[in-house]
Structures are given as C-alpha cells and as structure tokens.
Amino acid sequence: MILFAQSGCATSSGDSAHAAPTKPALDVCALATEEEVGAVLGQPAKGRRDDSVLPGRTQCTYVNAAAKGRIVFIALLPFEVSLRTKPGTLPVAGVGDVALYDEAPVGGHLYVRKGSVNFAVNYAFDPLAPGIPDQHSSQIRDRLETLARAIVSRL
C-alpha cells in the first residue's frame, strides 16, 4: 500500500491568500521611445521585440534601414548590476542606483540597476558599412547615458 500525503495551507476562499505575490513583467520595448533610441542611432528608429535571445532574458532590438550597420538593444538582465558585474567597466554617476559603461571597439554597453530592475542599453555599428561616420567613444557613451536616464525616469 502506498500513501500520499499533501500538506499546505488553504482557506475557505481558496489558496490565493497564501500565494506569493507576482510582479507584473516589464515590457522592455515600452521603456524607451523610438525617438529616444533614434537619437542614439543618429536616425529615426523602428523597434521590434526579440524575446528569444536567451531564456529568462527579454530584449528589444531597434534598427533603421536608413542607418544600415547601426543597432541598439535594450535588455532586461537576469542578474543584479553591481560594481563587480564586469571587470574593466567604468562607473557612471547619475544614472540609476548603479551604472557601468563598457567601451567596445564597435559601440558601447551601459549596464544599469534601478531598484530591482536591471537592464542594459547597447549600441553597435559596423565600421565597414558605407555611410557610418566615425564615432568617438565619448559620443556613444553620452548618447547611451541619455537613453538610460530616460528609461530610469520611467521605472
């Protein structure tokens, strides 16, 4: 004979009184406007959702046909951004609770934590694509910081 025991808490109105609260999911594509992303791209942007990049990660990809070779990603991160997130990153003041900039040879990445929300804004360009002007790291960083501040203001 096999006996099964069930334990738990139930009330006359059901189990919902003891269920863990659920936090509504953020719509990553609603965190920034196409105009704000367009300022990073240097051209008007068109957004689209791309939820399948990695399990547990939500990302919005912005591109513009007129700005071939340029792309902006905004991603919700499955980890907490801290000063130890990635060695070699530079702390950024005035953006969220913690912000770190990572310079890349073909763009830049800004990792941000505001409260319990962790996100990244990334800009990449193809240096071989025709019509892509030279861009200095400080210009890319300034544009990503401006975009991140706009996102933080909505959280």
Side-chain angles (χ1 to χ4, degrees), residues 5-142:
Q6 181 178 4
S7 65
C9 228
T11 65
S12 60
S13 62
D15 295 351
S16 62
H18 298 292
T22 57
K23 185 177 178 183
L26 285 174
D27 178 358
V28 70
C29 289
L31 293 177
T33 67
E34 289 186 3
E35 291 79 19
E36 291 163 341
V37 175
V40 176
L41 290 171
Q43 300 266 337
K46 181 178 181 183
R48 70 174 174 85
R49 183 179 309 278
D50 180 5
D51 292 329
S52 62
V53 177
L54 294 172
R57 184 170 175 178
T58 304
Q59 177 174 292
C60 193
T61 304
Y62 293 86
V63 295
N64 181 320
K68 291 179 182 171
R70 298 181 200 186
I71 194 162
V72 170
F73 302 97
I74 300 172
L76 295 178
L77 302 174
F79 56 86
E80 183 176 283
V81 174
S82 73
L83 293 178
R84 295 182 301 262
T85 294
K86 186 174 180 191
T89 56
L90 303 171
V92 176
V95 181
D97 300 326
V98 177
L100 304 167
Y101 181 72
D102 185 20
E103 183 177 330
V106 292
H109 315 283
L110 187 60
Y111 305 97
V112 180
R113 175 172 45 92
K114 174 63 175 166
S116 64
V117 177
N118 296 276
F119 67 93
V121 289
N122 306 296
Y123 171 72
F125 64 92
D126 178 355
L128 301 177
I132 301 290
D134 287 337
Q135 295 182 314
H136 299 286
S137 178
S138 62
Q139 181 184 29
I140 294 168
R141 179 179 169 165
D142 289 347

